Amino acid sequence: MDAKAKVADWISVQDKEKMKWSVLTSCLYMEMLNELLAPHPDKDDPETLAFVAPLGPKGSAPLIALEDFGKYARWVFDHPNRSNGLNLHVASQEVVWADIPAAFNEATGKKAVYRDVTVDGWFELGLFPDPDAKFGHSAPGDEGTLRTYRENFGGFWRFWKSGKVRKDWALMDEILPGRIKSVGEWMRKSEYDGNIKPLLHDFHQKKRDA
């Protein structure tokens, strides 16, 4: 979205003996369930919260708890002999979206459902005022390499739905044995309640639309 991957590609071809380098590659945060990925009142039952995603009946996406993300970053700096030349892909869990309502119910006692939608249907939730606007933090809007919100996030969802995500879970367990390992564990630990809570300074959703 802001050329991090291109910078990582350039770094990864450098001679690690001449320039020590590491890349820490993340995914969406579990904390985004408070904001961008937050549930909405279900259209069939407003007393029930709906977790909506274009992932099909069994599709999944990797999420990471921010507190563990920081610990992985610390490990990279504390262990340069192991992290040199490593692109460390981190996540807490490959979360099957259809399983989130059960985890939410267990953690909170509240009713929830999963609603599968198309990618375009996800954008119709109104999360972005203009999904077809160009997305870039430090470039003019007419910069030719920029992509729209629809192109960026649509690409994410399609890739996750493909089932091609691969993580080295054994390495992550070795680095951080006490890490959060499930969305349910994160919900209980963070006292998650499904309500909107600001997280990203450049994404503000003041209220949940039914």
Side-chain angles (χ1 to χ4, degrees):
M1 291 188 295
D2 50 8
K4 292 190 292 289
K6 293 184 182 297
V7 174
D9 286 345
W10 180 85
I11 289 174
S12 66
V13 298
Q14 305 307 305
D15 186 338
K16 65 180 182 180
E17 301 304 322
K18 295 181 179 179
M19 183 187 83
K20 293 185 182 296
W21 62 266
S22 303
V23 175
L24 183 61
T25 300
S26 179
C27 50
L28 293 179
Y29 315 137
M30 287 188 171
E31 285 76 5
M32 286 182 173
L33 289 167
N34 288 314
E35 194 173 62
L36 182 65
L37 305 177
H40 300 256
D42 186 53
K43 62 182 185 300
D44 295 334
D45 178 7
E47 298 299 316
T48 298
L49 291 179
F51 290 87
V52 182
L55 287 172
K58 297 182 179 179
S60 61
L63 298 179
I64 187 166
L66 277 176
E67 66 175 84
D68 287 345
F69 191 13
K71 293 172 184 176
Y72 283 119
R74 175 64 183 266
W75 178 88
V76 167
F77 288 104
D78 285 349
H79 299 82
N81 290 335
R82 290 195 63 188
S83 64
N84 183 26
L86 175 67
N87 186 342
L88 180 61
H89 291 255
V90 296
S92 297
Q93 183 189 15
E94 186 73 21
V95 180
V96 176
W97 234 253
D99 293 343
I100 292 180
F104 178 71
N105 177 261
E106 182 179 349
T108 68
K110 297 180 180 180
K111 295 187 297 181
V113 295
Y114 165 61
R115 296 296 185 196
D116 176 37
V117 294
T118 64
V119 171
D120 285 339
W122 186 74
F123 282 104
E124 289 172 3
L125 294 174
L127 298 170
F128 304 101
D130 182 3
D132 296 309
K134 294 291 182 70
F135 183 27
H137 293 290
S138 56
D142 59 353
E143 213 286 322
T145 63
L146 294 180
R147 295 291 179 264
T148 66
Y149 287 92
R150 190 184 303 276
E151 290 170 328
N152 271 295
F153 286 91
F156 289 158
W157 288 119
R158 291 185 181 94
F159 176 67
W160 292 327
K161 188 177 181 179
S162 74
K164 296 179 180 179
V165 176
R166 298 290 182 268
K167 301 290 184 184
D168 189 340
W169 300 105
L171 177 59
M172 283 185 279
D173 287 342
E174 177 189 347
I175 293 172
L176 199 60
R179 69 180 182 85
I180 291 173
K181 296 184 178 181
S182 72
V183 69
E185 180 184 354
W186 172 81
M187 286 178 174
R188 293 187 295 274
K189 188 171 183 178
S190 65
E191 299 182 346
Y192 178 71
D193 58 12
N195 290 323
I196 298 290
K197 297 176 183 176
L199 172 66
L200 302 178
H201 74 278
D202 56 353
F203 177 87
H204 301 285
Q205 185 177 355
K206 300 300 184 182
K207 63 181 180 179
R208 178 190 285 120
D209 297 323

